[in-house]
Amino acid sequence: MGRSITPVRVKDVTIGEGTPKIIVPITGRTPDELHAQVEALSGQVADVVEWRVDFFGTLEDTASVVAQAHAL
């Protein structure tokens, strides 16, 4: 028997129902790398862009992480 999937809503995108979604992770270790990855997405189709903060080089510096989240 198949498992039931509970849809998840991220802003105006519902994941788990309808057509498959395109979710693109960004994984830069530095603000410059993140900026370059975001710029590379310009003009591309993506339903959700996910920042994989666990790759960020100054993960232990909360202020740095928060500042980068605002910049993104």
Side-chain angles (χ1 to χ4, degrees):
M1 296 192 149
R3 290 187 339 186
S4 175
I5 296 174
T6 303
V8 174
R9 190 158 179 80
V10 179
K11 290 202 175 200
D12 61 346
V13 176
T14 302
I15 301 165
E17 67 182 27
T19 59
K21 306 307 184 269
I22 298 171
I23 301 172
V24 178
I26 55 173
T27 58
R29 294 189 46 78
T30 67
D32 288 341
E33 287 178 9
L34 286 169
H35 180 76
Q37 289 176 354
V38 170
E39 286 294 316
L41 291 175
S42 179
Q44 302 299 313
V45 176
D47 295 299
V48 175
V49 176
E50 170 194 18
W51 178 25
R52 288 292 311 268
V53 71
D54 52 316
F55 282 81
F56 196 52
T58 57
L59 186 58
E60 68 285 344
D61 180 354
T62 304
S64 175
V65 172
V66 171
Q68 189 58 53
H70 284 286
L72 289 172

